[in-house]
Amino acid sequence: MSTNEASATPASLNFIEQIVENDRANGKNGGVVLTRFPPEPNGYLHIGHAKSICLNFGLAQQYGGATNLRFDDTNPLTEDTEYVDSIMEDVRWLGFQWQGEPLYASDYFDQLYAYAIHLIKAGKAYVDDSTSEEIRRMRGTPTEPGEHSPYRERSVEENLDLFARMKAGEFPDGSKVLRAKIDMASPNMHLRDPIMYRIIHAHHHRTGDKWCIYPMYDWAHGQSDAIEGITHSICTLEFEVHRPLYDWFLDNLPPFDPRPRQIEFARLNLSYTIMSKRKLLQLVRENHVAGWDDPRMPTISGLRRRGYTPASLRNFAERIGVARRDNVIDVGLLEFSVREDLNKTATRVMGVMDPVKLILTNYPEGQTEEMMIENNPEDPNGGERAVPFSRELWIEREDFKENPPSPKKWYRLGPDRMVRLKGAYIIKATDYVKDPETGEITEIHAEYIPESRSGNDTSGLKVKGTIHWVSVDTALPVEVRQYDRLFSDPDPGGHKDRDFLEFLNPDSLRIISPAYLEPSVKGAQPLDHFQFIRKGYYCVDRDSTADKLVFNLTVGLRDNWAKMSQK
Ligand code: ATP
Ligand code: MG
């Protein structure tokens, strides 16, 4: 979008676009837009990160700019290359490409060290020998000023010497820190001499054993943006109170051009969903789920395996927009987005989950026909496929009722009732067989009306119901994993006195095996999408083998969200 087009429709701009357009109109940074997505590689990305990715990459695309992928790898204890790899895969899968190579905050450790020396020389940073407990105590409270550390007035020479020796590994973990010398009485706690470096004798996934002092996030983050020439540093609202500190660092270092401008937006919260990486890690570690990409997880890899498409996540991010105030998005809106996308693209097939046998007593034994059925009524170029039809079929148990509760409204099968078999014939139920012990119906008998073949129906009969079916001889037995929400509470992480694990839904996974699918599905590959008609959207899971396909329920057909939003 050019500035002109945009100014013609100002109402459609969100507040971040407005800031960027203003900056461009004022010729700031020569009109350049460089954003970044800065994940900490300490877990897999989740749907909240997807929102941030779409925002950062989308904004840069919109203004002809670029986006860096920068790993904020300042904490060697929690970070891992497994996470780095998964993050790159997820960003690409969402449809975005970062500028050049991926970047790492650890690439700037030398530069950050030099900046720290600069602050020490200017009398604006000092080495503190206080314990973390003492530092915490002397910080004061939001209403009472803090106290000066006894080490605050160390000379520049002594600070330079001690900081060099911290780096050289002379001191044990936790024995010293480097702090910025700002204002122990500031009403903003982040300005009360924040810690810049701590000693951690630990191996780092990229810098190995080169460093035993590691920069704090607040020290590394803003400077990393400045080093890269980021023009707009977009972050979530909780960093608004850190902004004065980031500004202080930039004000006290040699000037940067461009100087990054931080813009905060409300993080995505979703109902029925946990978004904290720490809690997601706990779900994985304690085997409450089968891994980071368990289809019930709100991770990008979980949603991908579940059958979400990149377009559905991008549309979701676009639809929820950006806000300045914290809010909770109904998870139904996410489900709506994937349903809307798959409706346009998923091949329709017939699959029976809870099979009961239907025998067409007047259909010749051994005879088969191929019924031509459209692949996708939403897609004019979707084509047709042949579905084999024969005397014995599987239908859903729930589609036959001996005594329908409200007979006038029951349009499916029952004694002497008629339905159409999708894409095939009208049939009339004549009889059924029950297991004498359990009372369960084991067989339904019906007669088909030969003149009622779909596409060439001369029977003159009108029936209200159509049900799906699968021919017994050629049915493909598969495993279907039916998912429900992982948590049964709308805000599982929001209860003060109760652990989020208490709200795990014990029925979040139900395995159906075998379910019977029409044979056209044979040979489907992981992530292939289908609509099982009248059931929902499903995709092939990577656990599938040559002998047995495994399907994940992506989302049911019923659209609760659209209904709610119409009320
Ligand atoms: P957590 O607190 O769960 O560890 P985080 O925010 O620290 O998550 P990062 O890896 O630091 O995770 O996040 C990378 C980027 O993604 C940050 O810019 C952050 O603002 C953004 N982000 C993280 N969670 C959300 C969310 N729920 N909604 C929008 N953006 C988010
Ligand atoms: Mg973070």
Side-chain angles (χ1 to χ4, degrees):
M1 200 194 294
S2 79
T3 321
N4 285 343
E5 276 167 11
S7 50
T9 51
S12 69
L13 292 182
N14 66 46
F15 78 96
I16 300 182
E17 291 165 331
Q18 277 170 18
I19 292 174
V20 171
E21 297 222 345
N22 265 333
D23 286 348
R24 279 160 59 85
N26 294 330
K28 202 171 162 190
N29 308 320
V32 170
V33 175
L34 181 61
T35 59
R36 84 290 180 259
F37 174 64
E40 189 181 347
N42 62 352
Y44 280 60
L45 297 182
H46 53 57
I47 179 75
H49 295 114
K51 160 87 215 164
S52 172
I53 291 167
C54 291
L55 181 58
N56 279 292
F57 283 86
L59 197 70
Q61 275 174 3
Q62 196 174 331
Y63 296 102
T67 304
N68 289 350
L69 173 64
R70 180 176 70 242
F71 291 101
D72 249 311
D73 55 349
T74 49
N75 184 354
L77 299 177
T78 54
E79 293 156 8
D80 201 305
T81 44
E82 177 196 347
Y83 300 136
V84 169
D85 295 341
S86 76
I87 289 169
M88 292 197 278
E89 186 185 354
D90 288 349
V91 174
R92 283 207 203 93
W93 177 77
L94 274 175
F96 298 109
Q97 184 58 54
W98 51 90
Q99 160 176 273
E101 294 295 315
L103 304 170
Y104 294 85
S106 58
D107 292 343
Y108 313 134
F109 280 177
D110 283 303
Q111 184 68 67
L112 291 169
Y113 182 78
Y115 288 151
I117 303 269
H118 179 96
L119 291 181
I120 294 174
K121 285 185 175 160
K124 293 185 169 155
Y126 62 98
V127 173
D128 194 338
D129 299 1
S130 308
T131 64
S132 55
E133 180 45 44
E134 286 162 346
I135 290 176
R136 200 174 311 126
R137 195 166 36 74
M138 289 190 292
R139 248 180 120 212
T141 67
T143 49
E144 297 161 80
E147 289 167 49
H148 283 184
S149 159
Y151 305 96
R152 199 174 196 262
E153 299 309 327
R154 273 180 164 152
S155 70
V156 169
E157 287 66 36
E158 190 182 3
N159 280 319
L160 287 173
D161 174 61
L162 287 173
F163 189 50
R165 288 165 60 197
M166 278 169 67
K167 175 178 186 252
E170 283 191 28
F171 307 117
D173 286 8
S175 59
K176 288 186 171 37
V177 292
L178 184 75
R179 297 176 74 177
K181 192 172 179 178
I182 308 181
D183 179 4
M184 288 306 291
S186 172
N188 183 335
M189 300 292 282
H190 298 284
L191 293 177
R192 295 192 185 173
D193 292 10
I195 296 173
M196 296 167 60
Y197 278 92
R198 66 251 201 257
I199 301 172
I200 306 176
H201 290 269
H203 190 82
H204 185 278
H205 75 114
R206 282 181 61 85
T207 58
D209 296 314
K210 176 174 174 190
W211 295 90
C212 60
I213 53 171
Y214 288 94
M216 298 299 287
Y217 178 85
D218 275 347
W219 165 237
H221 188 72
Q223 275 45 257
S224 300
D225 282 351
I227 291 167
E228 290 176 13
I230 301 301
T231 57
H232 299 86
S233 302
I234 300 171
C235 62
T236 41
L237 278 182
E238 66 271 25
F239 290 100
E240 190 169 14
V241 285
H242 298 236
R243 178 148 38 97
L245 172 60
Y246 299 165
D247 284 337
W248 186 90
F249 284 136
L250 291 174
D251 289 342
N252 287 283
L253 290 172
F256 290 95
D257 182 26
R259 178 176 160 135
R261 169 167 185 175
Q262 176 168 308
I263 307 169
E264 303 89 10
F265 74 103
R267 64 168 51 233
L268 167 65
N269 300 303
L270 262 190
S271 62
Y272 294 94
T273 308
I274 286 286
M275 216 90 87
S276 140
K277 276 194 269 187
R278 187 179 54 77
K279 289 177 181 160
L280 294 177
L281 179 65
Q282 191 181 346
L283 289 173
V284 173
R285 289 231 171 111
E286 296 176 3
N287 298 315
H288 300 293
V289 293
W292 283 101
D293 72 345
D294 185 299
R296 292 165 294 178
M297 289 282 271
T299 50
I300 297 179
S301 49
L303 291 164
R304 170 167 65 235
R305 191 170 167 193
R306 179 81 178 254
Y308 277 71
T309 57
S312 66
L313 296 185
R314 290 194 306 262
N315 291 344
F316 172 70
E318 179 69 25
R319 196 166 262 140
I320 57 180
V322 287
R324 278 282 302 157
R325 280 240 210 111
D326 276 321
N327 58 4
V328 180
I329 302 290
D330 187 331
V331 69
L333 184 57
L334 179 65
E335 293 165 354
F336 171 82
S337 296
V338 73
R339 197 179 284 117
E340 176 194 53
D341 190 44
L342 293 177
N343 180 40
K344 291 182 272 184
T345 56
T347 298
R348 274 57 171 170
V349 295
M350 294 195 281
V352 176
M353 309 275 181
D354 184 12
V356 61
K357 199 176 268 184
L358 173 74
I359 300 176
L360 302 177
T361 51
N362 62 339
Y363 194 89
E365 275 190 54
Q367 177 173 315
T368 59
E369 283 177 79
E370 294 209 316
M371 302 300 177
M372 297 308 295
I373 302 183
E374 82 276 358
N375 287 328
N376 186 349
E378 303 291 323
D379 179 359
N381 304 315
E384 294 182 327
R385 67 191 185 287
V387 184
F389 183 87
S390 62
R391 180 181 157 94
E392 294 197 1
L393 308 172
W394 296 119
I395 62 169
E396 296 289 352
R397 181 168 294 282
E398 63 171 23
D399 281 340
F400 181 91
K401 281 215 170 10
E402 265 179 290
N403 300 301
S406 36
K408 291 226 172 79
K409 287 196 199 132
W410 181 254
Y411 301 129
R412 303 188 229 170
L413 268 189
D416 295 321
R417 286 174 183 267
M418 286 188 168
V419 291
R420 176 172 293 283
L421 297 175
K422 166 76 184 169
Y425 296 100
I426 293 176
I427 60 165
K428 179 175 185 177
T430 51
D431 199 4
Y432 53 97
V433 180
K434 270 190 183 177
D435 182 316
E437 273 173 27
T438 63
E440 193 184 65
I441 293 175
T442 53
E443 235 170 58
I444 296 161
H445 295 176
E447 289 180 354
Y448 85 114
I449 316 291
E451 301 78 38
S452 66
R453 198 180 200 270
S454 276
N456 185 25
D457 182 352
T458 57
S459 70
L461 295 168
K462 290 265 174 290
V463 294
K464 282 206 172 135
T466 299
I467 65 173
H468 60 278
W469 50 273
V470 171
S471 173
V472 170
D473 293 346
T474 51
L476 190 67
V478 302
E479 176 179 321
V480 172
R481 298 179 181 169
Q482 291 285 108
Y483 297 106
D484 196 352
R485 295 193 169 131
L486 186 54
F487 293 98
S488 50
D489 186 89
D491 186 13
H495 296 262
K496 283 226 164 53
D497 313 318
R498 295 181 66 184
D499 190 68
F500 75 105
L501 293 174
E502 290 180 41
F503 301 103
L504 274 172
N505 173 7
D507 300 317
S508 59
L509 169 62
R510 190 163 58 89
I511 293 179
I512 300 175
S513 187
Y516 292 116
L517 293 188
E518 57 171 79
S520 67
V521 172
K522 209 180 224 144
Q525 297 298 312
L527 297 189
D528 282 354
H529 299 284
F530 297 93
Q531 185 198 90
F532 295 179
I533 62 167
R534 301 176 65 219
K535 291 286 159 193
Y537 293 98
Y538 290 81
C539 77
V540 180
D541 191 77
R542 63 169 164 74
D543 286 347
S544 298
T545 62
D547 299 329
K548 194 174 202 185
L549 287 173
V550 176
F551 285 84
N552 292 316
L553 169 67
T554 305
V555 68
L557 291 180
R558 238 168 53 127
D559 186 355
N560 294 323
W561 188 81
K563 266 191 228 131
M564 278 180 334
S565 63
Q566 277 164 14
K567 268 186 196 157

Coordinates of all heavy atoms in Angstrom, one line a residue, residues 38 113 121 155 176 291 307:
P38 N 11.8 -11.3 17.5 CA 12.9 -11.6 18.4 C 12.6 -12.7 19.4 O 12.5 -12.4 20.6 CB 13.1 -10.3 19.1 CG 11.7 -9.7 19.2 CD 10.9 -10.3 18.1
Y113 N 29.5 -5.8 25.2 CA 30.5 -5.7 26.2 C 31.2 -4.3 26.1 O 31.5 -3.6 27.1 CB 31.5 -6.9 26.1 CG 32.6 -6.9 27.1 CD1 32.4 -7.3 28.4 CD2 33.9 -6.4 26.8 CE1 33.4 -7.3 29.3 CE2 34.9 -6.4 27.7 CZ 34.7 -6.8 29.0 OH 35.7 -6.8 29.9
K121 N 33.0 3.7 31.8 CA 33.9 4.9 31.7 C 33.2 6.2 31.9 O 33.8 7.2 32.4 CB 34.6 4.9 30.3 CG 35.7 3.8 30.2 CD 36.4 3.9 28.9 CE 37.5 2.9 28.8 NZ 38.0 2.6 27.4
S155 N 35.3 3.5 42.0 CA 35.9 4.3 40.9 C 35.8 3.6 39.6 O 35.6 2.4 39.5 CB 37.4 4.5 41.3 OG 38.1 3.3 41.1
K176 N 28.9 -11.4 41.7 CA 29.0 -10.0 41.3 C 28.0 -9.8 40.1 O 27.8 -10.7 39.4 CB 30.4 -9.6 40.8 CG 31.4 -9.5 41.9 CD 32.8 -9.0 41.4 CE 33.8 -8.7 42.4 NZ 33.8 -9.6 43.6
G291 N 3.8 -34.1 23.1 CA 5.0 -33.4 22.6 C 4.6 -32.0 22.3 O 3.4 -31.6 22.3
G307 N -3.9 -29.6 11.4 CA -4.5 -29.3 10.1 C -4.8 -27.9 9.8 O -5.4 -27.5 8.8

